[in-house]
Amino acid sequence: MVPTRARCTLLALAASIAVAACGQRQDDAAAPAADAISPVAPAAAPGDAAPVRDAEAIAALEKMGAALRGLDRFGLKAETSTDYVTDSGQKVSVDGHASWRVRAPDRFVASVGNDRQQREFYYDGQSLTLWSPKLKYYAVIDPVPPTIGELVTQVAAKGIEFPLPDLFLWGTPQAPLEQVTSAFLVGPALLDGEQTDHYAYRQPGVDWQVWISRKDSLPAKVAITSQADPALPSYTARLHWDKAPATGDAAFAFKPPADARRIDFVPANAGSAGEER
């Protein structure tokens, strides 16, 4: 069953598949467009006490951000689960996947999708190509910002949201720790044989959790719950890292198939013919 209305609010830490990425068409039986970092039930501080903002939990977040910013290239695959809410208020969970191949500061190829739809993104520092393999449509945005971090923040205004965008924001001024109102260690956790520490955080409108690897301080799992919707939709992503992927220029070049059709990109917020298209 496809939810009639996807209301999962993907806040500062979440990302969605941009259905409008290749024009205003929908693909694959109007499947839900969102695929983002999403959560489990929000972790709760003990009792009904005032919010806990533990210094060690904040320090762990800073260390994770530094580890992410220290990667000059990486590959990443993620299994995701996203909640959608129907008009009747019933939540439906949809499993999906996301991947990245990155060469900092200005190259990446990313994909996100589920059983019903797929989106791919190609960035070479000068243009961004959005490709729908099932529909065989692609659109090109040019010019674009010269770095991945700038691109992630600026194209959001056009209605484009990449999978797991906060991987490029943690450890930068774009993810200020002052916004965190609650932070505490839930406890140790073993994920697929990997030792991690499980932390819970709260910011205005969102509860989120992260499992940080003890080996390299990279996030091994992320969970986000939106407080903006009374149904509390959530998203989870289990992350698998490759620190030495192939990163030659050819890996980031989009080569349209012979049957591909280029179309104009129409921003999701375009309200009239006179606006940017």
Side-chain angles (χ1 to χ4, degrees):
M1 180 185 72
V2 178
T4 57
R5 180 161 54 97
R7 294 192 295 162
C8 183
T9 304
L10 307 173
L11 300 173
L13 301 171
S16 66
I17 298 175
V19 170
C22 290
Q24 293 179 319
R25 297 176 60 98
Q26 293 183 337
D27 70 347
D28 315 319
D35 202 330
I37 276 190
S38 281
V40 191
D48 296 325
V52 175
R53 196 175 189 275
D54 182 74
E56 291 187 7
I58 296 297
L61 199 55
E62 292 177 323
K63 188 174 181 180
M64 182 185 72
L68 288 166
R69 301 287 66 78
L71 296 174
D72 59 359
R73 60 174 178 158
F74 66 84
L76 175 67
K77 293 183 178 180
E79 299 103 31
T80 68
S81 178
T82 306
D83 283 348
Y84 298 92
V85 184
T86 67
D87 286 335
S88 66
Q90 182 176 358
K91 283 195 293 189
V92 177
S93 294
V94 177
D95 290 340
H97 57 85
S99 69
W100 285 91
R101 182 180 298 182
V102 174
R103 188 179 78 194
D106 59 0
R107 296 284 192 282
F108 74 68
V109 57
S111 69
V112 63
N114 53 41
D115 288 339
R116 292 180 173 271
Q117 62 179 16
Q118 180 78 22
R119 290 288 184 268
E120 296 179 3
F121 308 86
Y122 296 81
Y123 171 65
D124 62 5
Q126 299 181 6
S127 65
L128 173 68
T129 300
L130 301 91
W131 164 237
S132 175
K134 291 187 177 182
L135 287 178
K136 305 297 184 183
Y137 286 105
Y138 72 98
V140 179
I141 301 175
D142 179 17
V144 290
T147 67
I148 298 172
E150 292 175 282
L151 180 72
V152 167
T153 55
Q154 290 191 24
V155 301
K158 298 178 180 288
I160 302 172
E161 294 179 333
F162 300 116
L164 310 170
D166 293 277
L167 297 176
F168 304 96
L169 303 181
W170 278 317
T172 77
Q174 300 300 319
L177 297 180
E178 293 77 11
Q179 293 182 353
V180 177
T181 59
S182 175
F184 60 93
L185 173 67
V186 177
L190 189 65
L191 296 180
D192 297 333
E194 182 178 5
Q195 293 288 343
T196 71
D197 289 311
H198 176 193
Y199 294 91
Y201 301 92
R202 171 167 287 179
Q203 295 178 211
V206 64
D207 289 345
W208 57 284
Q209 304 167 71
V210 61
W211 287 252
I212 301 176
S213 171
R214 293 183 178 179
K215 178 178 62 178
D216 54 19
S217 295
L218 293 175
K221 180 180 177 180
V222 181
I224 299 171
T225 298
S226 170
Q227 297 288 343
D229 190 316
L232 301 178
S234 64
Y235 171 102
T236 60
R238 177 69 173 93
L239 313 180
H240 306 277
W241 294 88
D242 176 3
K243 297 180 184 177
T247 54
D249 287 351
F252 309 101
F254 175 68
K255 296 180 176 60
D259 59 349
R261 177 184 172 189
R262 179 169 176 172
I263 61 175
D264 292 336
F265 171 75
V266 181
N269 58 358
S272 68
E275 295 184 7
E276 179 183 5
R277 301 181 67 84

